[in-house]
Structures are given as structure tokens and as C-alpha cells.
Amino acid sequence: MSSEISRTGLHWFRNSLRLHDNTALFRALQENECVYCLYVIDDNFFRRSDIGATRASFLLDSLRDLGESLERLGGQLIVRRTSDAPEEVLRVAHEVDAGCIYFNED
């Protein structure tokens, strides 16, 4: 990636919903004037046999907390639900005119 600052980036939260010590988010903020944050809820997640009400509630509470933290910092969390997360990420990147997509490896 070049050292030039891009206009808009998209950070895709995947398994880790943390703001601190988030290398991909840090890089996105360094390399872009504007960064959108996205979490995609996979429809298949709620169909898994090991996902009960408690675990689902924990995810939704964690997303609410992340969204509130981003709002306190002047940002916003976009949450989408689909069975094709990569396709949805590309769709959102197009919607916000993001030149780059950032995410942490699992």
C-alpha cells in the first residue's frame, strides 16, 4: 500500500470487536481521511447447534457496546446481516466509496 492518504477506508470487524490494540483499524485510520466500520452478522451463526440464546445475546450486546464506543469517538458502526459476508463487505465498500478494506487475520 502506498504512503499516500486515501479518502475513505472500510474496517471490517470480524472476530475481534476491540478498538484498542486493533492493528487493522489503526492502519485504516492512518491511511484514510474517513474510515467506516462494519460488522457482518452471518445468518448461519444463529443456526449453529452450539449457539444458544446466551451466546447470541453476548454478541448483540458486544456489538451495541462497540457501536457506542465508536459513537463516543465520532464514528459509527454499520451492522449488516447476510449469509455471504464477503459479498456484503464489497457491497458496503461500494456504498461508502471505500478505496481500501481493512481487517485483522483470524
Side-chain angles (χ1 to χ4, degrees), residues 13-14 17 38-41 46 56-70 77-80:
F13 283 96
R14 296 170 66 200
L17 301 181
L38 170 69
Y39 185 83
V40 179
I41 298 173
F46 295 108
S57 179
F58 178 77
L59 171 63
L60 297 175
D61 288 344
S62 297
L63 289 172
R64 186 190 70 242
D65 291 344
L66 177 60
E68 289 172 357
S69 295
L70 287 168
L77 179 63
I78 300 167
V79 178
R80 298 285 176 90

Side-chain angles (χ1 to χ4, degrees), residues 19 22 24 30-32 34 40 45 49-50 52 55 57 60-61 63 65-66 68 72-73 79 85 89 91:
L19 293 178
N22 186 323
Q30 283 184 315
E31 296 177 356
N32 296 276
C34 176
V40 179
F45 174 81
S49 62
D50 62 331
R55 193 162 175 199
S57 179
L60 297 175
D61 288 344
L63 289 172
D65 291 344
L66 177 60
E68 289 172 357
R72 282 193 297 275
L73 296 170
V79 178
V89 171
R91 185 177 295 115

